[in-house]
Amino acid sequence: MTDAPASQPLMLFNSLTRQLEEFQPVHPGEARVYSCGPTVYNYPHIGNMRAYVFADTLGRTLSFKGYKLTHVINITDVGHLTDDADAGEDKMEKMAAEKAQSIWDIARHYTEAYWADVKALNIRQPAHWSIATDYVPQMIEFAKAIADKHCYELEGGLYFDTSTVADYGALARAKTDEGEGRIEEVEGKRHAADFAIWRKTPAGETRQMEWDSPWGRGAPGWHLECSVMSEALLGFPFDIHTGGIDHREIHHPNEIAQNQAHSCSDASGARIWMHNNFLIERSGKMSKSAGEFLRLQLLIDKGYHPLAYRLMCLQAHYRSELEFSWEGLGAALTRLKRMVMAVERAKSKNNAAILTVPAAVESRMANFDQTISDDLNTSVALAQLEGTIDASMGLGDVLTMIEIMDAVLGLQLLTLSRTDLRIRPKAATITEAEIEAALTRRKEARAAKDFATSDKLRDELTAAGVEVMDGDPLGWDWRLDVN
Ligand code: AMP
Ligand code: ZN
């Protein structure tokens, strides 16, 4: 079998035009993608990680379609204020003050925590992790180039005049004079939507992170960093810019305005802007402060394999809201188990002798290609993958198709085992080795018709939170439940 030719046009929903558009690379054969990265002042919640599962699935799809992918994800370690527009404190400075730690230590700690989640979710490493503070000299140069024509100075720093570019806010479909949810107005701003590209350190204060600039000592604005790093690493224009849907309202319109100013054109910077919808909680927006902080580590501590969360994300279209629930996560874990068991079954069937009709393989791969090329229709692609695992075709062909499809969906189906997916709560007081040993003794007791010992062992396991699952259809011998 040969790899499926990437024949379907790749259709992606462009937030700029609010339409599906065919992907046409700027550089033939290449795909250059920039994803707004996390602000590393705290742990990412699983909603944040949805944004990177989406960006990763996009990258994997571009690779599947044969493009040479260059993906950049930035790390925001300066500039992001507590309000996305222009007000509030710098999130990093605020957390550093609260914890009485250096910003650099805070940034390192939470960047590493984010990278651990990236790895656990099988998100591929991008070509570059660009760290905002590494690009401050370039940000100053960028600001200098647009300052005369597009900016004005206030006591607080250098501000971008949004009336100097064509069609400001088109991406958000915002009415600029209402300033879309902008609070805490800055005195002297010409328009509500104008934003700081350089924030001066107030007289008499020092910040942990500050640099000299023509507009005084201070720090760059958050929007500036993405304009600068995307151009530095991907060129101008590049292909696709991604982020969560909140970025469609303020951060990305501001990046676009800066890009227009800097390029002296109407070019937005990226040809296609793509936004994933939110992961929500029943109570509303996901937040790091209210209620249970839904970090990936919490899911892992409760015993769920992180790829169950990846599967949960893929079950929904990236443009739809997705509501998180523990029941939903449990259902995704069960589905993943079924897929892994089906792969194990397919391998053991040893139907290597079945001769596959090449056309059957081609048609399966063409269907999958069509599905994923339809704006990443992952929920249907998952069903096609499941159908392929169960197909009665030659084992070699089945495994090759699973490998190709799983390279797009990233569920590690060929390497995960059922035991990897066992629920393993951190709070358990009994180890797996102890459970297995008790079950072996129970089996021996039953074989010897010593039912009193067998029942006693079962009762002991139950007391430790272990449910003995004789004859379970998914083939589980036991389940540990301490939630
Ligand atoms: P931040 O660290 O706040 O800059 O956010 C990192 C990424 O997560 C951005 O692309 C956000 O748009 C995205 N994001 C934030 N909250 C959610 C959510 N609840 N669901 C999905 N994406 C989100
Ligand atoms: Zn950004």
Side-chain angles (χ1 to χ4, degrees):
M1 193 189 97
T2 52
D3 288 4
S7 52
Q8 297 291 331
L10 174 59
M11 303 303 290
L12 299 173
F13 187 84
N14 189 351
S15 300
L16 269 182
T17 55
R18 301 286 200 271
Q19 274 176 2
L20 284 175
E21 288 179 13
E22 185 176 342
F23 176 68
Q24 305 272 12
V26 175
H27 302 88
E30 281 195 47
R32 302 187 185 187
V33 180
Y34 183 93
S35 301
C36 284
T39 307
V40 286
Y41 72 105
N42 203 339
Y43 296 107
H45 56 51
I46 54 173
N48 299 126
M49 296 314 295
R50 186 183 186 199
Y52 305 105
V53 168
F54 153 64
D56 180 55
T57 308
L58 172 67
R60 287 168 175 271
T61 300
L62 288 159
S63 299
F64 165 71
K65 301 294 288 180
Y67 296 104
K68 179 177 165 285
L69 174 72
T70 309
H71 189 194
V72 174
I73 305 180
N74 77 283
I75 300 290
T76 296
D77 55 355
V78 66
H80 195 170
L81 302 190
T82 45
D83 175 69
D84 268 5
D86 220 21
E89 294 167 77
D90 185 303
K91 289 185 178 189
M92 301 292 302
E93 294 267 356
K94 186 167 177 251
M95 184 55 100
E98 264 170 44
K99 297 221 156 182
Q101 280 179 15
S102 98
I103 290 198
W104 305 99
D105 289 345
I106 298 269
R108 189 175 321 111
H109 177 77
Y110 293 115
T111 302
E112 277 166 14
Y114 165 68
W115 282 340
D117 287 2
V118 162
K119 187 158 183 266
L121 289 169
N122 197 24
I123 291 169
R124 296 194 307 183
Q125 290 284 326
H128 306 275
W129 292 109
S130 59
I131 315 280
T133 46
D134 288 344
Y135 287 82
V136 175
Q138 290 95 315
M139 294 184 212
I140 293 173
E141 286 311 309
F142 188 108
K144 269 159 74 179
I146 63 173
D148 283 352
K149 272 195 171 165
H150 298 277
C151 303
Y152 55 94
E153 251 187 284
L154 294 177
E155 203 185 322
L158 188 69
Y159 278 77
F160 190 95
D161 182 337
T162 50
S163 71
T164 62
V165 290
D167 227 2
Y168 171 78
L171 177 68
R173 306 283 194 268
K175 293 191 201 96
T176 52
D177 39 338
E178 283 175 13
E180 278 283 301
R182 279 141 219 232
I183 50 167
E184 277 190 47
E185 269 316 315
V186 175
E187 183 133 1
K189 260 173 45 166
R190 293 181 188 162
H191 314 94
D194 293 356
F195 55 93
I197 64 173
W198 188 264
R199 287 176 304 111
K200 254 190 261 182
T201 306
E205 278 183 29
T206 43
R207 284 186 181 141
Q208 283 197 43
M209 279 185 174
E210 49 181 13
W211 294 261
D212 285 322
S213 84
W215 316 282
R217 219 170 150 64
W222 171 43
H223 317 296
L224 185 57
E225 66 191 52
C226 289
S227 285
V228 168
M229 292 188 283
S230 59
E231 179 171 1
L233 293 164
L234 299 176
F236 190 95
F238 60 96
D239 295 301
I240 304 173
H241 196 314
T242 78
I245 196 142
D246 51 333
H247 287 353
R248 202 180 68 181
E249 309 306 316
I250 297 173
H251 181 47
H252 290 168
N254 291 354
E255 268 187 58
I256 290 173
Q258 294 167 158
N259 293 345
Q260 289 173 302
H262 195 247
S263 64
C264 303
S265 74
D266 288 343
S268 73
R271 284 210 177 149
I272 298 186
W273 293 74
M274 293 177 76
H275 296 98
N276 63 276
N277 212 323
F278 267 13
L279 182 78
I280 54 165
E281 288 182 81
R282 192 154 302 175
S283 54
K285 197 175 168 226
M286 186 152 291
S287 122
K288 298 183 190 189
S289 47
E292 199 171 39
F293 181 0
L294 284 170
R295 285 177 59 192
L296 192 65
Q297 191 58 47
L298 178 69
L299 275 48
I300 296 169
D301 288 348
K302 290 207 181 201
Y304 295 92
H305 194 283
L307 289 176
Y309 176 64
R310 183 175 178 110
L311 177 58
M312 192 180 176
C313 291
L314 296 175
Q315 289 179 156
H317 193 267
Y318 75 89
R319 281 196 283 125
S320 308
E321 264 186 358
L322 171 62
E323 185 179 308
F324 177 80
S325 68
W326 292 103
E327 299 74 43
L329 183 67
L333 180 68
T334 301
R335 187 175 183 190
L336 188 57
K337 275 181 196 164
R338 285 188 193 280
M339 289 166 101
V340 167
M341 279 179 68
V343 172
E344 284 174 6
R345 227 179 15 243
K347 283 183 188 161
S348 68
K349 260 197 258 166
N350 195 16
N351 51 359
I354 300 183
L355 281 180
T356 310
V357 188
V361 173
E362 269 163 36
S363 105
R364 259 180 204 281
M365 290 314 299
N367 285 344
F368 181 81
D369 183 14
Q370 187 166 30
T371 300
I372 207 72
S373 301
D374 177 16
D375 196 28
L376 318 181
N377 192 347
T378 49
S379 61
V380 174
L382 279 170
Q384 289 173 338
L385 170 55
E386 284 166 327
T388 300
I389 301 173
D390 282 334
S392 56
M393 291 178 157
L395 180 63
D397 288 330
V398 168
L399 292 181
T400 308
M401 287 190 285
I402 295 172
E403 194 177 349
I404 296 171
M405 294 182 188
D406 193 47
V408 176
L409 298 168
L411 293 170
Q412 295 183 326
L413 290 181
L414 291 175
T415 48
L416 273 183
S417 72
R418 272 191 294 162
T419 41
D420 292 330
L421 297 175
R422 252 199 225 293
I423 300 223
R424 294 184 154 80
K426 197 176 150 201
T429 50
I430 185 165
T431 67
E432 288 180 41
E434 286 165 345
I435 298 171
E436 294 293 350
L439 285 175
T440 306
R441 272 186 281 134
R442 180 168 169 264
K443 217 186 233 167
E444 286 161 4
R446 279 162 61 131
K449 304 216 176 327
D450 177 1
F451 296 112
T453 305
S454 148
D455 288 351
K456 186 170 158 274
L457 284 163
R458 187 186 187 120
D459 292 346
E460 281 169 13
L461 286 166
T462 307
V466 180
E467 183 190 343
V468 178
M469 299 165 78
D470 296 330
D472 173 62
L474 284 183
W476 296 105
D477 304 321
W478 52 268
R479 178 166 61 203
L480 186 52
D481 194 356
V482 293
N483 292 329

